[in-house]
């Protein structure tokens, strides 16, 4: 098993300039840790695609709206990415986004999706990252296209409000459908997360695959934190020459390449990344990788 990559938290770096918006972690006193060079990691496009397909919090904003009440449009119920790299959003038919998009042409209505990724366990600096996707918003038009997009959404989110989605899209209530599918043609992408801040080429989003562990990450991290604190503590022994007395270990993030753990002692915190022997593609592979990790 490879040794972990220690990633200490940087010293306080928050700018005194209130207008500075360069980092998603500007509100954090110390900020998030950043990786050393040479650490295996997902590409920027893979990280953004994973966030889009995850259950992370998402908001939709229409910066070009004239009515201030139209600027913030709320939270889409679900989203996914088409094979062409467009983002499909399911919104309430009564939402500001649905009303604004109803009459939009191809380049009339600009919009920004902001996705905020929060660790599913309690740790210092709990926001793990943010991604922004900006582009042009239009309704998904045509029965065939709506059916195809609804099927894609239902594949990603096969429960809850998506059951019977096709029927609800075509059945207006008081002159407006209960749900509306919107298409964001993406023109610009940026991400600021545990791995760093970068711009992502929109053309790479369609080709990128979401991390296969995204559907299991929350459950596994919460299970490790609540039921296997002793096993997590054993990872302190893999930190090499670092002083480990009094350290608390909490699982922070998981992907197909490894597990990231946040170690704390009082006000001091640092991250370590534990690479799996090889990338995992399913739950069976993940179980084997975790067994190898805890075997030390």
């Amino acid at each position: 098993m490879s040794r972990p990559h220690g990633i200490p938290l940087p010293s306080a770096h928050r700018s005194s300039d209130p207008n500075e918006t360069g980092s998603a972690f500007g509100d954090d006193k110390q900020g998030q840790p950043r990786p050393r060079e040479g650490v295996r990691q997902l590409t920027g496009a893979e990280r953004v695609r994973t966030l889009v397909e995850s259950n992370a919090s998402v908001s939709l904003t229409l910066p070009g709206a004239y009515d201030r009440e139209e600027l913030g449009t709320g939270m889409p119920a679900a989203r996914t990415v088409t094979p062409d790299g467009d983002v499909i959003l399911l919104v309430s038919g009564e939402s500001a986004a649905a009303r604004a998009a109803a009459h939009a042409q191809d380049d009339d209505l600009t919009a920004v999706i902001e996705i905020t990724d929060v660790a599913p366990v309690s740790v210092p600096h709990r926001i793990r990252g943010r991604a922004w996707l900006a582009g042009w918003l239009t309704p998904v038009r045509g029965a065939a296209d709506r059916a195809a997009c609804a099927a894609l959404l239902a594949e990603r989110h096969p429960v809850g409000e998506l059951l019977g989605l096709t029927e609800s899209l075509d059945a207006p209530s008081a002159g407006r459908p209960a749900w509306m599918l919107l298409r964001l043609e993406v023109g610009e992408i940026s991400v600021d997360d545990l791995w760093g801040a970068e711009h992502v080429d929109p053309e790479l989003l369609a080709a990128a695959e979401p991390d296969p562990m995204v559907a299991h990450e929350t459950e596994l991290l919460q299970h490790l934190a609540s039921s296997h604190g002793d096993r997590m503590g054993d990872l302190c022994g893999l930190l090499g020459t670092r002083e480990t007395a009094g350290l608390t270990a909490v699982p922070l993030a998981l992907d197909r390449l490894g597990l990231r753990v946040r170690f704390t002692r009082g006000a001091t915190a640092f991250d370590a990344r534990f690479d799996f022997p090889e990338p995992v593609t399913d739950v069976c592979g993940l179980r084997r990788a975790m067994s190898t990790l805890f075997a030390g």
Side-chain angles (χ1 to χ4, degrees), residues 90 143 146-147 150-151 154 161-173 176-181:
L90 178 67
R146 286 199 301 272
E161 64 271 5
L162 297 188
L163 295 174
L165 173 60
T166 302
E167 291 78 5
S168 67
L169 290 171
D170 296 322
S173 175
R176 193 181 297 274
W179 297 100
M180 179 178 285
L181 287 173

Side-chain angles (χ1 to χ4, degrees), residues 127-148:
I127 295 179
R128 300 188 298 187
R130 290 191 175 97
W132 298 265
L133 300 91
W136 301 271
L137 196 67
T138 55
V140 176
R141 296 187 171 97
D145 203 6
R146 286 199 301 272

Side-chain angles (χ1 to χ4, degrees), residues 71-122:
L71 293 176
T73 68
M75 297 178 60
R79 71 268 182 180
T80 192
V81 179
T82 71
D84 295 328
D86 296 336
V87 178
I88 301 300
L89 303 168
L90 178 67
V91 302
S92 166
E94 298 297 330
S95 67
R99 297 196 306 270
H103 306 290
Q105 300 302 314
D106 291 345
D107 57 358
D108 280 355
L109 185 63
T110 57
V112 178
I113 300 171
E114 179 176 344
I115 304 173
T116 302
D117 179 31
V118 180
V121 293
S122 179

Side-chain angles (χ1 to χ4, degrees), residues 45-261:
E46 288 174 325
R47 282 154 31 217
V48 172
R49 179 68 184 262
T50 299
L51 283 177
V52 173
E53 303 287 3
S54 74
N55 292 323
S57 174
V58 61
S59 64
L60 175 63
T61 302
L62 309 177
Y66 294 102
D67 186 341
R68 293 186 62 84
E69 294 183 357
E70 299 289 308
L71 293 176
T73 68
M75 297 178 60
R79 71 268 182 180
T80 192
V81 179
T82 71
D84 295 328
D86 296 336
V87 178
I88 301 300
L89 303 168
L90 178 67
V91 302
S92 166
E94 298 297 330
S95 67
R99 297 196 306 270
H103 306 290
Q105 300 302 314
D106 291 345
D107 57 358
D108 280 355
L109 185 63
T110 57
V112 178
I113 300 171
E114 179 176 344
I115 304 173
T116 302
D117 179 31
V118 180
V121 293
S122 179
V123 291
H125 311 289
R126 195 167 176 179
I127 295 179
R128 300 188 298 187
R130 290 191 175 97
W132 298 265
L133 300 91
W136 301 271
L137 196 67
T138 55
V140 176
R141 296 187 171 97
D145 203 6
R146 286 199 301 272
C149 290
L152 186 60
L153 269 177
E155 178 183 344
R156 303 290 189 188
H157 310 271
V159 295
E161 64 271 5
L162 297 188
L163 295 174
L165 173 60
T166 302
E167 291 78 5
S168 67
L169 290 171
D170 296 322
S173 175
R176 193 181 297 274
W179 297 100
M180 179 178 285
L181 287 173
L182 303 180
R183 182 191 307 275
L184 184 76
E185 181 185 349
V186 181
E188 184 177 356
I189 302 172
S190 60
V191 61
D192 190 356
D193 61 8
L194 294 168
W195 297 108
E198 62 181 284
H199 291 282
V200 176
D201 187 339
E203 293 185 359
L204 299 178
L205 183 66
E209 289 290 335
D211 188 82
M213 295 299 102
V214 65
H216 311 287
E217 184 195 29
T218 294
E219 181 181 4
L220 178 63
L221 294 183
Q222 291 176 343
H223 178 69
L224 287 174
S226 64
S227 302
H228 295 286
D230 55 338
R231 305 297 298 274
M232 295 301 303
D234 291 342
L235 297 179
C236 294
L238 300 176
L239 295 177
T241 59
R242 186 183 290 272
E243 174 58 46
T244 61
L247 280 180
T248 299
V250 179
L252 176 67
L254 171 75
D255 57 49
R256 71 177 184 272
L257 301 178
L259 175 70
R260 187 183 184 114
V261 178

